[in-house]
Amino acid sequence: MTYRIAVGCDDAGLDYKEQLARDLRADPRVSEVLDLGVHRGAEDEHRPYPEIGLAAGEAIRAGTVDRAVLVCGTGIGMALSANKVPGVRAATAHDSFSAERSVLSNNCQVLALGQRVVGLELARRLVREWLGYVFDDRSPSAAKVQLLNDYERC
């Protein structure tokens, strides 16, 4: 399986986003990387994180991408923003176990990272690991994720 991945950041996550996008483009599990911004030296360099997080969530909802990796200062703002889009589940992770459980327990399509919270090499590792996890819809967690899906349809 290969993924179409969106990447995005605000100005507090630009350095990491650029490196993570390069890593993703070189990863054989990734068929496409859609860079939603911000971009160094461009007009959009100082766009607020909600615009990026919402755009990533909408790209997932529309089926343009399968997953997204978002970076801001802490990862929290990006996760909050992406989670506003119905059907999208985003998690902030700063360790391997959280990145793993975001997919295996919660079927998250968005990994949010904090450039001011984790080192670059850890962020790169978390993205590599996160890409390797696939949600099992027969797992005990499936019923819990379904409760969230059902609530969103109300």
Side-chain angles (χ1 to χ4, degrees), residues 29-84:
R29 299 171 293 179
V30 177
S31 61
E32 177 185 351
V33 175
L34 173 64
D35 189 336
L36 300 172
V38 300
H39 303 96
R40 191 173 308 281
E43 267 182 39
D44 75 342
E45 187 172 359
H46 299 291
R47 281 174 54 205
Y49 70 82
E51 289 182 13
I52 305 296
L54 291 167
E58 290 295 345
I60 289 169
R61 181 165 71 165
T64 306
V65 298
D66 306 300
R67 290 187 178 186
V69 175
L70 304 175
V71 187
C72 62
T74 63
I76 296 168
M78 287 294 188
L80 289 171
S81 301
N83 276 320
K84 293 296 182 183

Side-chain angles (χ1 to χ4, degrees), residues 109-130:
Q109 311 104 313
V110 179
L111 177 63
L113 300 166
Q115 181 169 314
R116 296 177 179 155
V117 181
V118 299
L120 178 57
E121 291 309 312
L122 177 57
R124 295 174 77 193
R125 175 182 173 175
L126 294 176
V127 171
R128 281 192 310 270
E129 292 174 354
W130 179 75

Side-chain angles (χ1 to χ4, degrees), residues 112-154:
L113 300 166
Q115 181 169 314
R116 296 177 179 155
V117 181
V118 299
L120 178 57
E121 291 309 312
L122 177 57
R124 295 174 77 193
R125 175 182 173 175
L126 294 176
V127 171
R128 281 192 310 270
E129 292 174 354
W130 179 75
L131 278 178
Y133 299 117
V134 178
F135 184 71
D136 180 355
D137 60 4
R138 296 165 300 164
S139 73
S141 295
K144 298 169 194 167
V145 171
Q146 189 58 49
L147 286 171
L148 295 172
N149 294 339
D150 292 345
Y151 181 81
E152 284 183 327
R153 282 184 260 223
C154 292

Side-chain angles (χ1 to χ4, degrees), residues 97-109:
F97 187 70
S98 298
E100 171 191 306
R101 298 322 306 170
S102 74
V103 175
L104 298 183
S105 293
N106 305 112
N107 198 16
C108 285
Q109 311 104 313

